[in-house]
């Protein structure tokens, strides 16, 4: 234990800590690491009274013992829908210390913490800004952040804090969360250690009673142990509630009624009784304090005056050890006390308290809180309050509070009597809940909103329901919802109908049978008049391509892609990202890449952290296709980290699939989870960051199959490779891009096995696609396939030479190197050793530059067969590539540092703290053989 921890527990520590030895060891390790500059976080989970708050108190004592800065907040059930309510309590007193933050980060923090201030934007950017502020504070002294009742914390605060918590690395910052065992607060939160607080053993419970109630008779102690069921707070409070006669055993305990209740409810009953014993004004003031989430004593007292109480009325509650005033805050002794004070009050008392708090909030210009308190004070329908809630919802939207928007519209709907208006508000609530990732709630709200007659509401609900079905793995159901809405909306709003049809066409790509889904979509939309809208043309092009008619689909998709680019400023960044890149279906990788780079830049500039992973997925795939394997790797790793941190599991599996392919190209078996984890630099074990980047994220199965197929092909396991590629290119998903890309691979594997009957149909399909798209690289691969299939030597050589000519400047260096490798192998078999050496040497150099170790090894083997002696991968020349020594994060940081950006600017770009940036740079310097930032500019960092 640290000295501070020892000091805090010298007298037994806070009540209820007996027996929590393992938990204290874990927390002590966390705090000790923070004192030494290694940040971290943990979540405490347990039933009410299990000791979570006491352990937080224990951490607070340790923090004070070393002079650390303590930041603490707790969730409040009555205000769980207010965006950033918890963050306001946590950071309001230190916001002025963020003067060195990048302006964008400072602005979003001001918008989150100061009511009615600047717009916030992406809630994950608030997390990055919070991380930056904690880093600023930690430059002075260690920081400990304690979050109690996280299950009642608003979603925006939790998203921001968890984003920051998962990125604590270098710096003296420790974060500890506490929540009920069955809470969903940490669902989908990989990377955050969970500490589960089970019941105390009888021996531990007896030890606790011996300290807290040493005068208990042995039989009474035994009886209390049975009632408490290992709950430490129940032990302490049940013992404390006994009369002297009951304590010494002279008066029997009548616990028949209380014995049937759970331990936490037994404690609640004790607190209920204490509260009922208070004078009426004290009870009412306690209800006001329980209904408020700020803990601001001045605010509570001002509201109390409006209900007829005075400051002195808090005295009896303090004397009863229910609350205490600490500085400018009212602090409840335990979350169960707050629950008892609020839930035990009469409805009239609660509404009176909320109405008073609304008046105080109005005076403080806090319109969001005012609206919520007014809603809580309203019974029945009230359009005026409902309208104010709807206005507050739009205020919450401007501050990035999607969950708060959903909650506000939902409550507004409950207060709305007019049926159509209620449904419209419910549809708005459903859309916001879906955007916030509250899948189950969004579905419930969408079901409640039916039927709506407004075309925009119909379209919105259809999109919400479709997104939910897709999230649950039912893309076909999602498609049908969108097609039905298309038919309902198009007659009134043709453009809106066109967009719905496009969404349906996009969803068809993921249906169990995409071809049948495409045909059904086309049939259901037949006869609808979309007014020649370019989006309708794009939907038709997507359906044509899915149905295996790329010659019809290519012109329409090209037209749609141009429309999206021309009109990009007419839509939000989220919609820009969603609609961008469909011309990837045409193999237009370089132009799409340039547009994606611009979108990435915009996402980083606007702090659109939640949108960024989709852009990074697109960039990672494009860089893979363009042969920029190292860039693809660093891009995919960053995308995977952010997708996981923001709870976007579907994107994480796709990014993991890209990493699986890169691992295969590097000669490593792609893992079943995490996409492998090795650097794609031919470095072998030296380049690995561990067996799995994200052990909990399995790669997309199509990409994983392609990865295994490529590895088999690179290692000469042609029979296995053919089986994998045939599985990809056959069946209902044969028109997916991963399948189209696998056709030339299938041709190569089949011809290696002299199975022309398997190769010819694949070559013919690819030729149709290549001719329809007209891209140079596709034409080169078509020629390569023809070279493999041609029997006479003159024809084979002509096709190889034409393929290599077509490859010139086509932007696909990996495919060009593969063509050279195949040509060189054919030349070697024809005894043309000098020509073979030239082709194979060119292929090897390209494979090593990318890098693609599996294919480089194959080229070396062929060169040795023609009498050449290429250097092996274990013997690099002096001054060889240094970049392969770096982790993906170190490489990203080093590249940005080489451009002259400061640690703060790099952190803002990568959503890291400046201290973490410095940590990665300090690790990169010795690997690169430099000692300063200035020397980075002279290196080739790719």
């Amino acid at each position: 234990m640290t000295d501070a921890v020892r000091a805090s527990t010298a007298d037994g520590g806070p009540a209820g800590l007996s027996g929590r030895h393992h938990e204290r060891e874990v927390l002590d390790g966390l705090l000790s690491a923070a004192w030494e500059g290694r940040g971290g976080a943990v979540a405490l989970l347990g039933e009410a009274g299990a000791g979570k708050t006491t352990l937080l108190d224990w951490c607070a004592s340790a923090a004070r013992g070393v002079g650390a800065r303590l930041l603490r907040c707790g969730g409040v059930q009555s205000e769980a829908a207010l965006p950033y309510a918890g963050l306001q309590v946590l950071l309001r007193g230190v916001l002025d210390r963020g003067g060195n933050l990048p302006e964008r980060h400072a602005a979003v923090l001001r918008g989150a913490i100061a009511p009615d201030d600047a717009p916030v934007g992406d809630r994950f950017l608030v997390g990055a800004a919070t991380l930056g502020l904690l880093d600023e504070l930690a430059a002075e002294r260690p920081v400990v952040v304690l979050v109690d009742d996280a299950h009642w914390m608003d979603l925006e605060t939790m998203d921001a804090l968890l984003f920051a918590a998962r990125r604590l690395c270098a710096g003296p910052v420790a974060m500890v969360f506490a929540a009920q065992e069955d809470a969903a607060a940490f669902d989908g939160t990989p990377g955050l250690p969970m500490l589960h607080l089970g019941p105390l053993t009888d021996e531990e419970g007896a030890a606790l009673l011996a300290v807290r109630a040493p005068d208990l008779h042995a039989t009474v102690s035994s009886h209390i142990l049975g009632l408490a069921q290992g709950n430490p707070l129940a032990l302490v409070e049940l013992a404390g509630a006994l009369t002297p006669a009951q304590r010494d055993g002279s008066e029997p305990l009548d616990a028949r009624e209380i014995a049937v209740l759970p331990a936490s409810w037994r404690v609640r009953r004790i607190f209920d009784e204490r509260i009922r014993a208070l004078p009426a004004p004290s009870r009412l003031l306690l209800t006001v304090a329980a209904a408020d989430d700020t803990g601001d004593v001045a605010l509570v007292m001002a509201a109390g005056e409006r209900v007829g109480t005075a400051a002195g009325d808090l005295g009896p509650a303090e004397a009863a050890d229910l609350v205490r005033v600490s500085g400018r805050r009212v602090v409840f002794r335990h979350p169960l006390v707050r629950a008892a004070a609020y839930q035990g009050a009469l409805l009239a008392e609660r509404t009176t308290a909320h109405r008073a708090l609304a008046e105080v909030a109005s005076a403080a210009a806090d319109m969001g809180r005012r609206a919520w308190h007014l809603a809580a004070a309203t019974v029945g329908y009230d359009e005026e309050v409902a309208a104010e809630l709807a206005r507050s919802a739009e205020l919450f939207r401007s501050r990035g509070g999607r969950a708060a928007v959903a909650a506000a519209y939902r409550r507004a709907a409950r207060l709305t009597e007019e049926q159509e208006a209620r449904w419209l508000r419910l549809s708005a609530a459903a859309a916001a809940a879906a955007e916030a990732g509250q899948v189950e709630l969004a579905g419930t709200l969408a079901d409640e909103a039916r039927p709506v007659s407004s075309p925009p509401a119909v379209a919105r609900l259809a999109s919400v329901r479709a997104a939910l079905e897709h999230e649950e793995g039912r893309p076909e159901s999602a498609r049908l919802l969108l097609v039905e809405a298309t038919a309902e909306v198009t007659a009134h709003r043709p453009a809106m109908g066109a967009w719905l049809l496009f969404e349906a066409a996009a969803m068809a790509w993921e249906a169990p049978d995409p071809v049948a889904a495409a045909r059904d979509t086309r049939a259901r939309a037949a006869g609808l008049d979309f007014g020649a809208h370019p989006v309708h043309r794009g939907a038709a092009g997507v359906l044509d391509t899915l149905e295996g008619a790329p010659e019809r689909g290519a012109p329409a998709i090209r037209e749609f892609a141009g429309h999206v680019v021309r009109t990009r400023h007419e839509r939000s960044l989220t919609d820009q990202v969603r609609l961008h890149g469909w011309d990837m279906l045409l193999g237009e990788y370089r132009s799409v890449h340039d547009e994606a780079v611009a979108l990435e830049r915009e996402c980083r500039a606007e702090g659109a952290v939640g949108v960024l992973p989709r852009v990074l997925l697109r960039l990672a795939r494009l860089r893979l296709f363009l042969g920029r394997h190292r860039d693809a790797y660093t891009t995919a790793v960053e995308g995977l980290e952010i997708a996981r941190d923001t709870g976007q599991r579907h994107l994480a599996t796709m990014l993991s699939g890209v990493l699986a392919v890169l691992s295969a190209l590097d000669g490593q078996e792609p893992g079943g989870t995490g996409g492998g984890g090795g650097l794609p630099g031919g470095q072998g074990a030296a380049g690995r960051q561990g067996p799995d980047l994200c052990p909990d994220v399995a790669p997309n199965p199509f990409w994983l199959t392609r990865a295994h197929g490529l590895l088999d092909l690179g290692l000469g396991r042609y029979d296995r490779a053919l089986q994998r590629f045939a599985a990809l290119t056959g069946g209902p998903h044969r028109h997916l891009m991963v399948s189209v890309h696998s056709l030339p691979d299938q041709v190569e594997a089949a011809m290696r096995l002299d199975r022309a009957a398997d190769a010819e149909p694949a070559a013919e399909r690819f030729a149709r696609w290549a001719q329809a798209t007209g891209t140079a690289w596709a034409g080169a691969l078509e020629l390569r396939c023809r070279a493999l299939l041609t029997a006479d030597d003159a024809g084979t050589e002509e096709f190889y030479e034409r393929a290599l000519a077509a490859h010139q400047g086509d932007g696909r260096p990996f495919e060009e190197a593969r063509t050279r490798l195949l040509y060189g192998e054919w030349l070697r078999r024809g005894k043309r050793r000098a020509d073979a050496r030239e082709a194979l040497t060119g292929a090897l150099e390209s494979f090593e530059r990318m890098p693609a170790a599996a294919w480089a090894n194959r080229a070396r083997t062929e060169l040795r067969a023609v009498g050449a002696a290429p250097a092996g991968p274990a013997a690099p020349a002096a001054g060889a590539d240094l970049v392969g020594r770096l982790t993906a994060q170190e490489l990203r940081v080093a590249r940005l540092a080489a451009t002259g950006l400061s640690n703060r600017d790099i952190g803002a770009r990568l959503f890291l703290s400046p201290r973490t940036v410095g940590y990665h740079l300090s690790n990169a310097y010795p690997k690169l053989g430099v000692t300063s930032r200035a020397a980075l500019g002279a290196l080739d960092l790719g």
Side-chain angles (χ1 to χ4, degrees), residues 215-346:
D215 59 334
L216 284 185
H217 191 278
T219 57
V220 177
S221 177
S222 177
H223 194 57
I224 294 296
L225 284 172
L227 288 175
Q229 297 177 340
N231 185 291
L233 183 63
L235 282 168
V236 172
E237 294 300 332
L238 286 169
L242 299 178
T243 66
Q246 289 172 328
R247 296 172 78 86
D248 65 19
S250 59
E251 180 180 318
L253 291 175
D254 183 8
R256 286 172 295 179
E257 178 186 0
I258 201 170
V260 301
L261 299 173
S264 60
W265 279 97
R266 292 172 199 152
V267 178
R268 255 291 302 276
R269 289 281 297 271
I270 293 171
F271 290 145
D272 284 339
E273 291 173 4
R274 287 192 201 170
I275 292 169
R276 281 198 296 269
L278 296 175
S282 297
R283 289 200 308 271
L284 186 53
L285 187 55
L286 206 60
T287 302
V288 172
D292 167 64
D293 77 315
T294 67
D296 187 325
V297 66
L299 198 104
V300 170
M301 295 306 170
E305 289 178 6
R306 283 166 167 76
V307 299
T309 67
D313 292 323
L314 200 61
E318 290 183 277
D321 196 23
L322 295 171
V323 295
R324 71 178 189 276
V325 177
S326 177
R328 294 178 297 174
R329 292 179 53 76
V330 178
V331 181
F332 280 87
R333 180 252 175 103
H334 190 276
L336 283 177
V337 178
R338 181 191 289 274
Y342 185 79
Q343 295 169 6
L346 298 175

Side-chain angles (χ1 to χ4, degrees), residues 27 30-31 34 38-44 56 59 71 87 90-91 127 130-131 134 143-147 157-158 160-168 172-178 192-193:
L27 292 172
L30 176 75
L31 297 174
R38 303 190 310 276
V42 69
L44 306 175
L56 293 184
C59 292
L71 302 175
L87 208 64
L90 188 73
L91 300 181
T130 299
L131 178 63
L134 295 176
V143 177
V144 175
V145 179
L146 305 178
V147 181
T157 289
M158 286 302 296
L161 290 178
L162 289 174
F163 185 88
R166 285 190 290 264
R167 291 177 166 246
L168 293 173
V173 180
M175 298 179 72
V176 185
F177 300 86
L192 183 69

Side-chain angles (χ1 to χ4, degrees), residues 879-905:
D881 181 20
L882 298 173
V883 172
R885 303 176 183 178
L886 304 181
T887 66
Q889 191 73 288
E890 290 165 359
L891 179 56
R892 287 196 295 271
V893 168
R895 282 174 170 171
L896 290 172
T899 68
L901 291 177
S902 67
N903 285 8
R904 184 166 286 104
D905 291 335

